[in-house]
């Protein structure tokens, strides 16, 4: 998971109110698509010049404008001016290191969320920022680049399935948020699979690389948690908002999204506990195993060192060593050796030392 | 305890509002039973076709419909339509990875709880989801499969014992929740027994497998806690709900269930502390023992290594080594050896090293 | 401290509302005593049949009924019926594994508390449950067995000392609670003494048994904390209760009990910190000492192993070893040995290794 | 810092309402001083008999009565009766093991605080209890013994400096509290110096005694924290109190004291973190150093043990050992020894083992 | 980061209300600059005598007075008197060890914040205190010394860019706070870079100095956290303040600053987690590596010690040792040696001990 925690350098030193894109440029050219629908009509088109969407502002139908690519500050600014969006809101859209948040600007509500887009490399998820603006007859969504996260909603609109075409922009906003929260479950599942795999590995054959893996998991969990935790308060805030933009009938759906958010956070916390437990298990089992090994090795050394001393004694070259002249001296020494070893082994066994 | 923490994959990518059963199919065929009663009358039957229970909707008597088996989405949907249940509620019933929750839909209240069903294997408890819907004259309960958890309530109704037949559906709902919370005490007792056993083992003869057991206990505690913790807020929410569906006389009973819930959570927390303490005790006592062993072994080696050096000296083959020619040289060396060993032993003893 | 954390098994499977005694039978026969008094009159008697106390219900004087022994469910039930106690309250009285709590039933207030009765064995305190019911003109107290905790209050009533005889049942209830909270200080003092003793032992001569003692203390603290912690909310709840049963003049006394409760909890927390600190101190000082010992031993071995090698060289039996023929060869080797040892010792000293 | 955490034994078993001094007798004879002033007048005297201060009760001027020494219960009782203090308040004054608290008795406010008086020994601070009673025209302060903490306030009154003589008893109470909170900074500074010293020692030359010092610091921090933490809520409570005894103009000063209290608590928490960090640093650096030492020692042993084996081989006395007869055998063995040692050293170096 | 946690000694013992500068004198002479502007007019000047700014008090234009250098108490006092600032406020400005706070004095609002000024040395940031006073038509800012943190705002005013010249002093105050919060991101970025560097070092080649660095980082984080954490409550308090001094249009900007503050705190917490994780990783990987090394070394020793014993046996000088006379005895012994070593190596390999 990429480290998004401290980007904002390019803004430091600039006066407040300056529109600057903070983040990597991820697409060549911003891509704008519009879906305009109500129960009966439906229209979908790709916009070339940003001005084309201004027409939709006055229509009674629900309009969903989706912008992919944030580096072209001009487009964002023009859209903002046309739809009357607050300058601070535009700043937030452009600054991809913001924290998830919800802001009520009276005639429009602003939502800033994070999604996890699979990266090319194996383990990393890239965190992308998604902004939603809900107005009285429109929803505008901004993404850093094309991610496919909204595809199921698009399908629903195109096929006029479900309640979507019958309800207003607030329900569309709900559907988009729901899709985003749902996408977290995929990430969680991947984490869950990794944890299960590691748990099996821990039981079967704990190798040293497992430590690296546990620590990596732990670090990713820190980032994941940081992106998801504020979501709870965002969705809860949205649900409690006193605003004509959200109809009472949509409240129960928002409550449902809230429940899912809590479930996601719950799972992240459980994962944290599990990973901590795994680390503990690994460390204590490694240390246990190590201790056992060292004990056995030390026992072997401890038995042979005194024996070596004994044979050393009779390796001395004194002229007068009576034992050396004895006929059975050699065998006697062997007897002493075996006896000594035996006593020591018996003692260690009794003490349960190996 | 089975890992329920990240199931929801089959819903990802589907539009909101689609009814899908998320979880394992646990029974061949859904089984529906109905109990219909008031103070005077009583009727119990097994339903073959879901339509049979629609008739009970209009009666003034209390109706309890119990559904075991969730894989047949059609049945759930028909029941839901007949009794006017909210679509999101039906989604929650079908998704067995939900978090315990309580939802007030105006003319019915929805409760989602977890029970622990003993599995075949020795240690594992399976977490099962139980949903309750309380309406003005009915209670509908949904289970993943037959569990027997509600049997005491059934007996009470059949035998017209206690207050159950005299009171309304809210008291029935209370009785069902109370039975579920009571069932947690059985699980807790099992944990308590295991902990006591392990504590005895710790004192008597700490073997290495105990570590595995403690870690397993710790992991199960994580899942148990995750299932039980939200219960507090669920039961508390139910008690504070301003709704005509729950009569004031039932409040005091709900308060009692709440107290039991808090007691369950308290016990889980105490168990956590105890298990952590056990792990600490085990690790520190193992390390202590290990240290003692290593110290003794090292002391032995340390005594004999210098002695071996001494005898090594007189094993040298120099032509001119005066000591070798001495009459008492050999015995002198023994004296030196004994003296050296004695001094070292005395020193180590004084230092309290073994 | 006895493990009270998971008793309730005998109730599992029973319908709610069944009166069952959960706990050990601690006395042969329940013992009931009555004290009836006001400013002028005073009467004290031991009741043989429970019916004898029914007469006190209607009198204007303050009546204190004290029941010792809970196994005789009949007595509790009859008392309950006569004084109009709620069935759930009776259930709680009988279930000795309940959590401290306070319940307002309108015309009577129920309080469930724990006391610590010294056991015969040295370290264990037995946790006993005490229930109080405060009505408009009576207080009923239930204990598992005779404990003497209320003796000071009895003396005060008998001798008409203090405000007790002049004030109503609410002040009597306060006096009983105050006596219970005061009794905690005795337990705390015992813990404090043990901790001080262990601290001295730690500084003077840390033996291995100290670990066992620290862990035992830690475990007992877990149980102690569990029993005392809910007390805070109980006493606070009582103080804030809007009820005619407690006169405004009693509030300031309840506030005082509350302060003492907080002080008890504070002390328990401090003890926990101290015990944790002691464990840490012990473990780190043991590990430090162990390290020192191992270092010295290893240094000795490390010095002699190379020396043994040197003498080993000249113990070889090669026909052509020029050094062996040298006159001063032997003394030269001694020189080499002493030099080697000297250099190593100097090096280790310089490195501060022993 | 003296262990004040579990004193109260002498009260256990006594009925509530009995006035008993709990604590050590610290002075021979209680000393009472009175300062009586307003903007124009000023009078200061030492009282011999407690009755002398009763006259000040009715005067319109601000009266500050300071009592040093609590063992003479009679004095406290008489003062209490004259100024109409609540019996519970008197109990609290006498019990020196109370927790800091604030109590509003309507016509007077009671404050119980702790101060730290330097003890004779080097490290210990003695915790002393200070009680303040604020009435409509008087402040009474109680101390265990003379401490000098209020001297700056006395100076201010005598010299008529600042606002003190112009304002009422509430400002006097503020000035006294402010002086007490200020005195904590001295204690904190001492802790800070000790921590800084230890940090330097840690970097320069960590000896074993440092462990003892860190643990002592940790333990003292536990007591310090216990005494200071409740202060926050005490001062905050005072600030929010709705009482005619405190004029609105004094509120801003109380707010300032509150800020300082928070700052003190903040510092204590920071110290805790620092001390914990130091312990961690020490333990990990010691263990690191130890590991390095052991590694070097073990490497030396590991190199020489195989060499000793080699020379041991040629120390054998077999009649037929061809090598022994070789001319260059001896030198060859030296070659083998050097080569073996060389290879091992190279291998260990490469592996970065020493 | 300099230790600012316990400075206040010079005030201890002084009566409340005395103006004293607590902190180091950082500049030779206090420097005062004034900017006075509205939409049309603009004036900037450096003040020589503090009296020159008194004239700006009555003008309708926005006046920003910036004071750099706090040691000259007289200047602060005169400014305070002229603009009617509360004495406690002046005390706080002068005491550079205060905690960040916000105080509403009715006709002016006081803000105390911290900034981090790069020090000359490599790692240390110096914490400087900045105070802001917002009045109806003026903002006064106080700094310990010139820091350049407000330069972007000065530029904006001079060039009449953005909204600044069109809006009142509340927007100016917002702009100053925003600049300060922005400056934290620079510090965070530096921390982030250090952490990333250390993480790379950890993976590549963990040396012992890394421990020192991690611990230093941890300690600095403690100070950073202490300075930033109260900021949240300060900015939040400002946003919620009911005061005519802040116009409703400024609220949304304050909300934005609040979001950034939360983001800063979030990052600090994430850094803490990361650093803790790094320490853990380092310690466990070092201990793992150490264990591996010790195991290999011990295995080598364990193999050779028994072999040395064997050759020791045949180094004995007994007259009657049959094996010595055998023709192939020597080679047989070699066989025994090789076999023993082989069996041991095989055993250790099988046990996976090296």
């Amino acid at each position: 998971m990429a480290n998004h925690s401290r980007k904002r350098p390019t803004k430091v030193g600039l006066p407040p109110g300056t529109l600057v894109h903070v983040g990597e440029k991820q697409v060549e050219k911003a891509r704008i698509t519009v879906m305009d629908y109500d129960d009966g009509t439906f229209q979908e088109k790709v916009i070339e010049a940003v001005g084309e969407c201004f027409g939709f502002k006055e229509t009674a139908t629900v309009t969903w404008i989706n912008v992919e690519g944030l580096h072209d500050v001009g487009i964002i600014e023009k859209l903002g001016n046309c739809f009357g969006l607050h300058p601070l809101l535009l700043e937030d859209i452009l600054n991809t290191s913001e924290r998830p948040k919800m802001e009520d600007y009276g005639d429009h509500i602003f939502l800033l969320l994070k999604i996890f887009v699979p990266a090319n490399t194996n383990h990393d998820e890239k965190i992308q920022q998604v902004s939603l603006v809900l107005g009285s007859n429109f929803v505008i969504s901004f993404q850093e680049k094309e991610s496919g996260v909204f595809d199921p909603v698009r399908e629903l609109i195109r096929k006029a399935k479900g309640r979507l075409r019958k309800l207003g922009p607030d329900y569309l906003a709900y559907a988009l948020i729901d899709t985003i929260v749902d996408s977290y479950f995929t990430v969680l599942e991947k984490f869950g699979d990794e944890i299960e795999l590691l748990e099996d590995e821990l039981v079967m054959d704990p190798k040293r690389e497992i430590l690296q893996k546990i620590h990596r998991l732990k670090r990713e969990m820190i980032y994941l948690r940081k992106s998801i935790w504020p979501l709870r308060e965002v969705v809860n805030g949205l649900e409690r908002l006193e605003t004509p933009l959200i109809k009472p009938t949509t409240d129960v759906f928002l409550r449902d999204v809230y429940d899912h958010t809590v479930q996601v956070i719950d799972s992240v916390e459980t994962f944290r506990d599990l990973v901590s437990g795994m680390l503990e298990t690994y460390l204590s089992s490694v240390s246990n195993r190590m201790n056992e090994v060292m004990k056995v090795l030390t026992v072997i050394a401890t038995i042979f060192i005194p024996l070596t001393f004994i044979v050393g004694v009779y390796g001395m070259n004194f002229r007068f060593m009576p034992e050396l002249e004895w006929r059975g001296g050699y065998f006697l020494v062997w007897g002493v050796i075996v006896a000594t070893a035996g006593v020591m082994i018996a003692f260690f066994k009794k003490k349960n030392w190996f």
Side-chain angles (χ1 to χ4, degrees), chain A residues 187-343:
Chain A
V187 182
L188 286 182
E189 196 191 8
K190 221 179 112 190
F191 268 107
D193 286 350
E194 270 193 76
I195 287 173
E196 216 153 85
L197 229 78
L198 280 182
E199 262 173 1
D200 289 353
E201 237 181 287
L202 256 188
V203 174
M204 309 295 273
D205 176 27
K207 294 218 197 65
R208 223 167 66 197
E209 304 88 81
I210 215 175
L211 195 65
Q212 219 84 30
K213 285 186 200 161
I214 293 176
H215 282 302
R216 189 182 47 70
L217 222 60
K218 240 185 141 171
R219 232 184 61 230
E220 286 186 12
M221 219 74 92
I222 292 173
Y223 286 116
L224 184 67
R225 203 168 164 248
K226 202 190 154 193
S227 298
I228 290 181
W229 196 258
L231 200 71
R232 179 192 197 131
E233 143 196 12
V234 166
V235 178
N236 193 27
L238 195 62
E239 197 199 331
R240 284 158 187 260
L241 213 60
E242 309 254 327
T243 173
L245 292 173
I246 298 174
K247 285 175 216 86
T249 48
T250 310
D251 271 356
V252 67
F253 295 104
L254 288 177
R255 174 86 206 158
D256 196 56
V257 175
Y258 178 72
D259 284 344
H260 291 164
T261 308
V262 173
Q263 200 179 334
V264 170
I265 289 170
D266 246 40
S267 294
V268 173
E269 295 304 304
T270 305
F271 284 172
R272 265 167 61 103
D273 284 356
L274 286 175
V275 171
S276 287
M278 274 162 62
L279 185 59
E280 225 173 37
T281 311
Y282 173 72
L283 289 179
S284 56
S285 80
V286 154
S287 131
N288 244 5
R289 226 176 75 104
M290 177 69 197
N291 279 350
E292 289 304 310
V293 172
M294 292 301 280
K295 213 158 65 181
V296 172
L297 294 179
T298 314
V299 162
I300 293 177
T302 307
I303 289 171
F304 278 99
I305 285 172
L307 302 185
T308 303
F309 163 72
I310 293 171
V311 302
V313 165
Y314 296 102
M316 292 194 293
N317 298 317
F318 285 100
R319 184 153 298 184
F320 308 100
M321 285 177 68
E323 297 97 321
L324 296 182
E325 311 302 322
W326 297 354
R327 260 227 97 95
Y330 174 55
F331 300 102
L332 205 72
V333 164
W334 264 118
V336 170
I337 287 170
V338 170
T340 308
V343 166

Side-chain angles (χ1 to χ4, degrees), chain A residues 4 16-18 120 123 126 137 149 167-168 171-172 175 182 282 310 346:
Chain A
H4 265 251
T18 320
N120 299 332
H123 296 299
K126 276 219 84 160
N137 63 342
V149 71
L167 297 164
Y171 190 83
L172 173 60
D182 263 11
Y282 173 72
I310 293 171

